[in-house]
Amino acid sequence: MSSPVIRIHPRDNVVIARRQLVSGQRLDDEGITVAGLVPPGHKVATAAIAAGEPVRRYDQIIGTATQAIAPGQHVHVHNLAFSRFERTHEPCAGAQPTALVAEPATFEGIVRHDGRVATRNYIGVLTSVNCSATAARAIADHFRRDIRPESLEPFPNVDGVVALTHGMGCATASDGEELRVLRRTLGGYARHANFAAVLIVGLGCETNQIQGLVAQEGLAEGAALRTFSIQDTGGTARTVARGIEIVREMLPAANRVVRRPVPARHLVVGLQCGGSDGYSGISANPALGAAVDRLVRHGGTAILSETPEIYGGEHLLTRRAVSPAVADKLLARIAWWEAYTARNGMQMDNNPSAGNKAGGLTTILEKSLGAIAKSGTTNLVDVVEFAEAVRAQGFVYMDTPGYDPVSATGQVAGGANLICFTTGRGSAYGCAPSPSLKLSTNTALWRKQQEDIDIDCGGIVEGLETVDEAGERIFRLMLETASGRRTKSELHGYGQNEFVPWQLGAVM
């Protein structure tokens, strides 16, 4: 704590400012003097770096100096840029057996009749197309506890009725990838353990016909899955009235649940980071990684995603692959993204965002290395596509965009019954029907936005807590949340508007 900077690795040629640094300030541990102002979370050069030479953080290349950098100078967008370089892939070289605990932890879960385990107990109203979104929301709003508390008073075991609407479902190819992925996403939600029952509402003439969705996803209509369309019902008012009546019929069965102890292997956690800063890869992300290591040792599953935000660090993940085939699946998704961005006139280094840069992140390489820390250290056991069901247990990778609402939507569709979301700039994200925990990377953010943040990891930056200690706190909070403890975003009512399926193709 005596040092105002953090050195991550002995071979790095930059350190990270714990707090504002001013010109002339001596950094005794590094033997340098600061030249100019350096904001908290930003980088300071510890050695002379010539133009064209690599800058290293985490003992990895994060870019190339665009001009000569002297010791003590601020290193950021004015003198550091993304650079392409060959990553050395050693598939499976870092894979090692995972030591499972003898007595796994438990949480208070809801066991469905088919053995699936839920962390929440909702009724969902899904839509096949944007045209039925208004009706779906009106149905769900009838059961809002903050507006009509009497509607759910007889059903205390039901967490709520939520409408998950979207802007897609038509004006796309009837046999194209976009429709298949949308249906896969909706199917994943319709099957999600956190839904006791689901109603799907359509318009009637859309490309995404409900019958096609049900057939592709192998869904079975019955008491827990009902469907109908506005055109068949005869208009909006009749649709809303019919939807309300169907939900009323679903409520008694949904209320007949009890929580009971279940092993932690039933916990599937989606890993997210949004509004990252220079501390993300130092505090909250590695702390979440330490929690993930615990979760995996207890038999649970964690899903890392956001392929554009692991770019440049994928060689660290392929090293942990359990087989060359798993490594190849990840590299295939990287290649797909390179082609996808190219045909859309973009590049993989069109990242970080303005907020990321203000927080101290300069290049996608630097951001990716910090993001990967969320995954911990255990083996990469599988790679799946967006919204594909996650069936392996352990650390799994799901291919998604870097946009958090889309990414988390894919994870929940794949089975995540809890989301952990690290942030350095602030976030108020929710993810119905799965609870979302927010982790701050720095204590200043925690103090400013406590009403939205569930746990502060800033003590790591200040030297008040180790990464492992924070990981233990996070793991325990995961179990408490899975047992029913409300997250900040749930208390505020977030989660319905954040359902955002991935719109892949052309809108015609």
Side-chain angles (χ1 to χ4, degrees), residues 167-179 207 503-508:
M168 300 168 61
C170 208
T172 188
S174 60
D175 58 351
E177 182 182 28
E178 179 158 317
L179 185 60
T207 302
Q503 187 162 319
L504 273 163
V507 178
M508 297 183 290

Side-chain angles (χ1 to χ4, degrees), residues 100-122:
L100 300 176
V101 300
E103 297 183 13
T106 63
F107 66 92
E108 297 290 318
I110 299 166
V111 182
R112 302 296 185 193
H113 66 88
D114 56 3
R116 293 173 303 140
V117 174
T119 61
R120 293 293 184 269
N121 189 42
Y122 284 99

Side-chain angles (χ1 to χ4, degrees), residues 67-311:
Q67 61 188 58
I69 304 173
Q73 285 188 329
H74 182 203
V75 178
H76 200 32
V77 293
H78 59 288
N79 55 14
L80 172 62
F82 172 86
S83 58
R84 299 186 182 278
F85 64 96
E86 289 297 321
R87 269 85 79 186
T88 302
H89 285 280
E90 300 176 283
C92 315
Q96 53 189 339
T98 299
L100 300 176
V101 300
E103 297 183 13
T106 63
F107 66 92
E108 297 290 318
I110 299 166
V111 182
R112 302 296 185 193
H113 66 88
D114 56 3
R116 293 173 303 140
V117 174
T119 61
R120 293 293 184 269
N121 189 42
Y122 284 99
I123 289 176
V125 184
L126 306 182
T127 58
S128 62
V129 67
N130 178 254
C131 307
S132 54
T134 296
R137 287 196 177 281
I139 294 166
D141 283 349
H142 182 83
F143 299 94
R144 280 179 55 176
R145 281 196 168 97
D146 57 338
I147 297 176
R148 296 172 53 87
E150 72 282 358
S151 63
L152 289 181
E153 276 182 2
F155 310 104
N157 296 327
V158 177
D159 290 307
V161 179
V162 294
L164 302 182
T165 65
H166 57 90
M168 300 168 61
C170 208
T172 188
S174 60
D175 58 351
E177 182 182 28
E178 179 158 317
L179 185 60
R180 289 196 302 274
V181 171
L182 174 61
R183 286 176 169 173
R184 189 165 71 212
T185 304
L186 292 170
Y189 274 74
R191 287 187 296 269
H192 201 283
N194 284 4
F195 280 135
V198 168
L199 168 63
I200 303 176
V201 181
L203 175 62
C205 59
E206 62 270 24
T207 302
N208 185 25
Q209 290 286 297
I210 291 178
Q211 306 97 299
L213 164 62
V214 169
Q216 177 186 300
E217 291 303 305
L219 302 176
E221 294 192 56
L225 177 63
R226 303 281 297 277
T227 72
F228 69 91
S229 297
I230 294 172
Q231 291 168 355
D232 291 338
T233 305
T236 299
R238 291 176 182 175
T239 294
V240 173
R242 183 179 179 187
I244 290 170
E245 186 57 34
I246 289 173
V247 172
R248 283 181 177 147
E249 293 171 4
M250 292 173 164
L251 281 167
N255 193 58
R256 290 194 293 270
V257 298
V258 293
R259 288 185 178 270
R260 63 180 177 84
V262 295
R265 64 182 173 83
H266 293 291
L267 194 52
V268 182
V269 180
L271 312 176
Q272 291 289 321
C273 55
S276 300
D277 67 356
Y279 298 128
S280 294
I282 296 172
S283 59
N285 287 2
L288 179 54
V292 165
D293 283 350
R294 285 168 167 78
L295 175 65
V296 171
R297 289 199 300 270
H298 283 260
T301 299
I303 309 170
L304 181 67
S305 298
E306 301 180 290
T307 309
E309 297 184 7
I310 65 151
Y311 187 69

Side-chain angles (χ1 to χ4, degrees), residues 326-338 399:
V326 170
D328 288 344
K329 286 170 73 174
L330 180 60
L331 294 178
R333 299 317 299 167
I334 294 289
W336 183 94
W337 272 94
E338 290 174 331
D399 179 33

Side-chain angles (χ1 to χ4, degrees), residues 441-463:
T441 70
N442 62 89
T443 301
L445 170 61
W446 163 256
R447 290 171 179 156
K448 182 172 64 175
Q449 205 174 332
Q450 281 191 52
E451 65 178 28
D452 296 309
I453 306 295
D454 297 279
I455 190 167
D456 176 31
C457 299
I460 298 169
V461 176
E462 300 301 324

Side-chain angles (χ1 to χ4, degrees), residues 82-84 87 306-314 330-353 362-368 397 399-402:
F82 172 86
S83 58
R84 299 186 182 278
R87 269 85 79 186
E306 301 180 290
T307 309
E309 297 184 7
I310 65 151
Y311 187 69
E314 65 273 9
L330 180 60
L331 294 178
R333 299 317 299 167
I334 294 289
W336 183 94
W337 272 94
E338 290 174 331
Y340 176 67
T341 52
R343 69 175 178 262
N344 284 283
M346 300 179 69
Q347 298 178 6
M348 291 293 281
D349 62 327
N350 290 150
N351 204 329
S353 69
T362 309
T363 70
I364 185 56
L365 302 174
E366 180 180 18
K367 185 177 181 180
S368 293
Y397 189 85
D399 179 33
T400 76

